[in-house]
Amino acid sequence: MPPDVRGALVRSVSQSAAKPIPTTWVFVRDPHHLRPGSVLLHWEPTPSGGMNVVARLGLASTDVPLATWPDLPGDWTRVVHPTLLETIGLHAALSVATKALHLANHLADF
C-alpha cells in the first residue's frame, strides 16, 4: 500500500461474506467529512503480524467511531463484513424512514 493511503472507503457491501468488499482507496491523511452512510476503514500492521482495523461511520453532521478490531490475523475482511453490512443497511433504512417522515410532515402542513 502506498505510504499516503489512509485506508478504504466502503459505501456498499454484498450480502455474502465470501464476496470481496467493494472499496475506494483513500489517499489523503485527513479526509474531508465522509458522505453519510459511508464507512472509512483504516488499518495498521501489528508487531505480531496481524492488523489493527478501525472503522468510522459518516453521519449527516459528523463522523463517528464505529468499531475497532485489534490484531486481526490473516484475511480480516470476513470479520469486519457483518458490522459493515448491518451498519450500512441500518443507515439506509433510517435514511428512508427520515425522508418518509419529512414527506409526511410536509403533506400534513397542507
Side-chain angles (χ1 to χ4, degrees):
M1 177 170 37
D4 55 347
V5 168
R6 167 124 168 96
L9 189 61
V10 180
R11 293 191 176 123
S12 65
V13 180
S14 169
Q15 291 286 337
S16 171
K19 291 186 177 179
I21 298 171
T23 61
T24 302
W25 292 112
V26 178
F27 285 92
V28 293
R29 294 192 186 280
D30 188 19
H32 296 290
H33 178 66
L34 297 174
R35 189 175 91 186
S38 295
V39 177
L40 178 65
L41 291 175
H42 174 75
W43 54 90
E44 294 178 352
T46 63
S48 66
M51 291 284 174
N52 288 332
V53 182
V54 176
R56 295 191 60 79
L57 173 64
L59 297 177
S61 61
T62 190
D63 302 339
V64 296
L66 173 62
T68 301
W69 298 273
D71 204 22
L72 291 176
D75 180 7
W76 46 265
T77 56
R78 289 182 187 243
V79 175
V80 303
H81 179 270
T83 301
L84 297 176
L85 179 65
E86 291 173 13
T87 301
I88 291 171
L90 178 59
H91 187 275
L94 289 173
S95 295
V96 168
T98 300
K99 289 176 184 175
L101 181 60
H102 288 159
L103 177 60
N105 287 337
H106 177 70
L107 293 174
D109 289 338
F110 285 111

